[in-house]
Amino acid sequence: MSFDLKLGTSAKAMVVAVAVLVLLRNLVGPWFGQKILRRRTRRRPPGPFPIWPLLGSLPSVGKLPHRTYYYMSKKYGDVMQLKLGTVRVVVISSPEFAKEVLKTNDRVCASRPDDVSAHILVYGRKDVICAPYGDHWRAMRKVCALELLSPSRVAASQNIRTQEVSFFVNDIFKHSKEGKGALNMQSMLHETSMNEITRMLFKRSYCNKAHYTAEAQEFQEVALEMGKIAGVVNISDYVPCLKPFDVQGYVPIMKAVSARWDRFLSKIVADHLEELQGQQNNIMSSEHPSENKADAESKDFVDVMLSLRGTYNRSSRLENSTIKAVITDMICAGTDTSATTVEWALVELLRHPEAMKKSQEELDAVVGRERFVEESDLAALKYLQAVCKEAFRLHPPAPLIQHESIADCTVGGYHIPAKTRIVVNLWAVHRHPSAYDKPLEFNPSRFLKAEEVKEAAAGSACGDHIDLKGKDFQLIPFGSGRRMCPGMDLGLIMVQLKLARLIQSFTWQLPAGEKPEDLDMLENFSLATPKAIPLHVVATPRLPFHLYNPNPSPSSSPSPSPSPSASSSSSH
Ligand code: HEM
C-alpha cells in the first residue's frame, strides 16, 4: 500500500527545520550540554546575597570598605564574591590567596577597572596607576621603574628629603620653644611629604606658611579637591547602565577640578620646556659644553620625562598629557601614603611607650645625640625598621588593591571569570591568624630575629627576613607582582627617615588630659587612610638645642642644591 504523503510548502519547510534541529541536537547538543553543566559545576566564591535591587551589596560596604570586607570574610571566607551594583567583585583576605592572585595569576589579574574618574582625572588613563594592562602601561611602568624611581634617581634626591625633614623638625622645635602647645601632626606630615614629592617632580614646594604665594594657594586648593573627588565611590562604576545619567552629579565636578589641575600642570610643563630650550641654546653657544654635566644630576622628574620624548613607541609617546598624567600619579600615590604611615607609627608608639623607649635607645646607641639621624643610618636601625613594618602591617596606607582579570582564572579552587574586579584586602591579609601570632597586637619585635627578642613574646617572632618587598605575602603594603608599587624604595625611605628624626629629636606626649589608650583608632578611607581624627601631640626637644637649625648642615646635603626657585619657596 502506497502512502502518498502530500505536503504543502510550509509543511515541507517544517519537516526540514525539524530534521535540522534533530541533527543539530545530535551533533552539538552534547557539547552545549557539557558547557552548561561545566558552568553550573564551576564553583563560585561564597558571598552575601545581593539584597538591594540594582545596587546589590553596595550600600552595605559603608565608609570603611576594608573593615567591612574584613568582617565579612570571617563569615564568607578568604575568597569571597560580592555583587556591587551589577559588577562582580571578588575580595581576597589571606596571604595564601593573595599569592594566588598576585603571583600565580599575576598576568591574568594585572589590569585595572575602567572607572569614570580615571578617564577624567588622569587624561584618559594615560598614567600608570589606572592604565589597563597593555603596551602603554608597560612603557609608562618602565619610565617609572628605570628612570624616575630607580635607586640612582632616589639617591640623587636625598638632599631634598634631608632638607624638608630638617625644616619639619625645626618647625616643631620653634613651636615647642614658643610654648604653643599641641601640633597637628597629620597636616604637618602631609605638608612635608607634599614638599618632598613636588620638589622631586618639578623643583617647587608649595606647603610653606612663610611663603604662601598665589601659586602655592592654587596648588593646595586644587590638590585638596583632586584628593577628595578621586576618593569618592561613584555608582556609575558599579551600575554602568547609569553612567549616562551621572546620578550623583560627580562628572561636572571632576571635569572642573581636572581643568583647574590641568592648567596648573600645563604651566609647569611649559616652564620646563622653556628652561630646556634655554639650556640647549647655552650648550650650543658654550665653549665648554662639559660644564653642563652637573645639570644632569639636578634634573627633576619632568626634566627626565621631557628628555625621554621620542624614546618610546608611537602608542605610548611621552606627550604632554602623558607627562601630566604621570605627575598626577606621583602626587596622589607618593604623598599621603608615606605621611599616613608615619602618623600611625607615632600613634602606635604613643600607645606602646616601651616600643618608643626602645626606638629612642637604639637611635642613641647607633647615631648618638650629637647629630641628626641621616638616610645612611637607616640600614643599621633594626628596631626602627621593625616599627615601620608593624605600622605598615596594621595600618596599610592603601588597604585595598584593586585589579581586574583579563581572562578566566582559578583562585582558591573557585572560578573567577574574565573582567572580574579583584580586590586584595591588605587590611585583612596583614591580620590573618595563619600568618601572625596575636595579629591585632602592635608588636614590632615580631619582625626581629628570634634571638634578638628577649621578652616572653620571643616565640611570636617571625623574623627580620620579612622584607615588605612583595615576596612574603603576609606583609605586602606595596603590593606584589607586576602592578606592585614602583615607588617602594622612595616610600620606605620617606617613612623611615621622618619617623627616625621625629623620635630621635623629641619626646612626645598627648595634650593634657588625653590618654594613649583612649586615642581613636579609626581611619578615613580615601586615596590613603589617615587617622580620622588627626593626631595632636606635644613635642619636647631631646637633643642639644644647637642642633636644631633652620638650614641643613652642608654634610647633610651631598647632592646638588635645588634650583633657586626651590630653595626660595622652601624658606620656612
Ligand atoms: C609608603 C609609601 C607607599 C605605599 C605603602 C604604596 C603602596 C602602593 C600600592 C599598594 C600600590 C598598588 C599595587 C597593586 O595594585 O598591586 C601602589 C601602586 C603605585 N604606587 Fe605606591 N606606595 C607608596 C609610595 C609611592 C611613591 C612614593 C610613589 C611615587 C612617587 C608611588 C607610585 C606608585 C605608582 C605609580 C603605582 C601604580 C603601579 C602600577 O599600577 O603599575 N608609590 N603603591
Side-chain angles (χ1 to χ4, degrees):
M1 193 169 67
S2 73
F3 193 84
D4 194 7
L5 193 61
K6 285 199 186 325
L7 296 171
T9 341
S10 56
K12 272 186 194 156
M14 195 182 287
V15 169
V16 172
V18 169
V20 169
L21 277 177
V22 169
L23 199 68
L24 272 177
R25 199 202 65 181
N26 290 342
L27 285 178
V28 296
W31 171 82
F32 196 62
Q34 266 176 12
K35 202 171 172 199
I36 291 174
L37 197 70
R38 224 182 301 137
R39 207 175 272 173
R40 284 209 185 123
T41 50
R42 274 174 181 170
R43 285 202 313 147
R44 289 288 167 83
F49 180 76
I51 317 166
W52 297 81
L54 208 62
L55 295 179
S57 299
L58 197 56
S60 338
V61 170
K63 287 189 175 164
L64 298 174
H66 53 296
R67 286 183 182 248
T68 309
Y69 295 156
Y70 170 70
Y71 294 117
M72 278 183 172
S73 73
K74 302 269 172 218
K75 184 169 175 192
Y76 297 104
D78 294 332
V79 185
M80 151 180 97
Q81 180 169 304
L82 293 118
K83 202 77 188 236
L84 298 188
T86 56
V87 172
R88 193 177 36 241
V89 179
V90 167
V91 182
I92 305 298
S93 303
S94 72
E96 183 191 353
F97 300 129
K99 188 174 178 181
E100 276 198 41
V101 169
L102 302 172
K103 190 172 177 191
T104 319
N105 291 296
D106 182 15
R107 194 189 63 80
V108 171
C109 297
S111 205
R112 297 273 194 221
D114 185 10
D115 288 344
V116 172
S117 59
H119 282 275
I120 303 175
L121 300 177
V122 277
Y123 302 83
R125 302 175 82 187
K126 283 191 186 162
D127 65 330
V128 193
I129 300 179
C130 304
Y133 184 61
D135 287 347
H136 176 78
W137 168 77
R138 251 187 295 275
M140 288 309 106
R141 175 92 199 179
K142 218 166 145 188
V143 171
C144 280
L146 301 182
E147 311 285 354
L148 303 179
L149 300 163
S150 64
S152 58
R153 184 72 52 195
V154 171
S157 53
Q158 182 184 341
N159 181 45
I160 291 175
R161 292 185 294 279
T162 308
Q163 279 191 350
E164 288 300 331
V165 173
S166 301
F167 292 144
F168 179 32
V169 164
N170 192 57
D171 277 352
I172 300 173
F173 176 72
K174 275 199 283 198
H175 192 101
S176 152
K177 283 276 286 168
E178 289 163 12
K180 285 187 180 164
L183 298 141
N184 181 339
M185 257 330 215
Q186 190 175 92
S187 71
M188 289 185 90
L189 283 162
H190 163 84
E191 286 168 6
T192 305
S193 295
M194 186 62 96
N195 284 345
E196 287 173 278
I197 291 287
T198 55
R199 281 183 65 184
M200 284 181 235
L201 284 170
F202 40 78
K203 295 194 196 84
R204 298 180 200 180
S205 58
Y206 300 110
C207 299
N208 309 305
K209 287 181 190 76
H211 199 82
Y212 198 54
T213 59
E215 194 188 3
Q217 183 180 355
E218 173 66 6
F219 177 81
Q220 286 191 21
E221 281 177 18
V222 69
L224 191 72
E225 284 178 23
M226 273 291 274
K228 272 193 205 156
I229 198 71
V232 298
V233 175
N234 190 345
I235 290 180
S236 304
D237 294 333
Y238 294 96
V239 190
C241 63
L242 292 179
K243 229 182 234 183
F245 308 105
D246 181 32
V247 286
Q248 292 155 294
Y250 285 147
V251 168
I253 304 175
M254 284 180 190
K255 284 188 175 164
V257 175
S258 161
R260 205 172 157 193
W261 183 248
D262 181 58
R263 272 197 299 279
F264 189 87
L265 294 189
S266 297
K267 167 124 184 25
I268 300 264
V269 174
D271 288 353
H272 276 73
L273 277 168
E274 203 178 300
E275 206 176 302
L276 203 69
Q277 192 61 51
Q279 280 168 7
Q280 275 164 1
N281 293 345
N282 282 347
I283 292 172
M284 282 161 73
S285 60
S286 169
E287 284 177 22
H288 306 286
S290 59
E291 279 170 12
N292 291 289
K293 212 179 150 208
D295 293 345
E297 284 171 15
S298 64
K299 269 184 174 177
D300 62 35
F301 287 16
V302 175
D303 291 328
V304 174
M305 284 191 275
L306 287 173
S307 71
L308 289 171
R309 287 187 148 183
T311 314
Y312 291 86
N313 62 33
R314 263 190 92 224
S315 63
S316 48
R317 262 200 330 248
L318 276 164
E319 295 157 346
N320 281 4
S321 54
T322 308
I323 293 178
K324 289 183 282 186
V326 174
I327 300 178
T328 309
D329 268 10
M330 302 279 164
I331 291 177
C332 291
T335 307
D336 281 341
T337 41
S338 61
T340 294
T341 312
V342 181
E343 184 188 22
W344 280 116
L346 213 51
V347 168
E348 293 290 8
L349 290 175
L350 283 161
R351 282 157 48 94
H352 298 87
E354 71 295 348
M356 175 72 95
K357 189 164 164 268
K358 268 191 195 170
S359 307
Q360 288 178 326
E361 281 171 0
E362 181 186 57
L363 277 154
D364 288 348
V366 174
V367 182
R369 290 200 181 202
E370 283 301 325
R371 68 172 178 90
F372 284 119
V373 53
E374 301 289 344
E375 285 187 7
S376 52
D377 299 310
L378 296 174
L381 296 166
K382 298 290 177 211
Y383 193 75
L384 179 98
Q385 288 181 23
V387 168
C388 291
K389 283 179 184 175
E390 192 64 341
F392 274 123
R393 185 180 75 81
L394 286 174
H395 308 282
L400 299 180
I401 299 184
Q402 302 233 29
H403 288 209
E404 190 178 89
S405 56
I406 51 172
D408 290 8
C409 64
T410 305
V411 176
Y414 297 109
H415 176 72
I416 313 288
K419 297 221 56 91
T420 300
R421 265 181 199 243
I422 303 178
V423 175
V424 181
N425 185 4
L426 301 187
W427 179 269
V429 169
H430 291 175
R431 283 170 164 71
H432 204 273
S434 69
Y436 297 104
D437 186 42
K438 298 187 184 151
L440 304 186
E441 273 181 20
F442 177 82
N443 171 21
S445 298
R446 69 172 87 244
F447 291 117
L448 297 178
K449 284 184 191 146
E451 59 271 23
E452 288 168 0
V453 186
K454 292 185 191 84
E455 61 262 56
S460 68
C462 49
D464 67 343
H465 62 277
I466 296 179
D467 67 355
L468 312 125
K469 302 213 166 148
K471 300 274 182 299
D472 301 302
F473 286 82
Q474 64 269 52
L475 189 64
I476 45 169
F478 297 93
S480 177
R482 56 194 80 195
R483 291 301 298 229
M484 184 178 174
C485 178
M488 182 180 65
D489 290 346
L490 175 60
L492 266 178
I493 291 180
M494 285 170 76
V495 168
Q496 291 176 352
L497 183 69
K498 260 185 254 133
L499 186 66
R501 281 274 176 118
L502 290 180
I503 57 189
Q504 183 202 25
S505 311
F506 304 98
T507 308
W508 296 94
Q509 275 171 316
L510 288 173
E514 284 185 32
K515 292 189 199 132
E517 59 273 24
D518 294 339
L519 274 172
D520 180 87
M521 295 299 278
L522 286 180
E523 54 283 317
N524 267 338
F525 184 86
S526 185
L527 291 181
T529 43
K531 201 172 164 306
I533 300 175
L535 174 68
H536 283 79
V537 261
V538 180
T540 311
R542 67 185 288 276
L543 300 183
F545 282 10
H546 68 86
L547 287 179
Y548 301 88
N549 185 327
N551 302 307
S553 68
S555 65
S556 63
S557 311
S559 56
S561 304
S563 75
S565 66
S567 21
S568 64
S569 61
S570 295
S571 57
H572 287 238

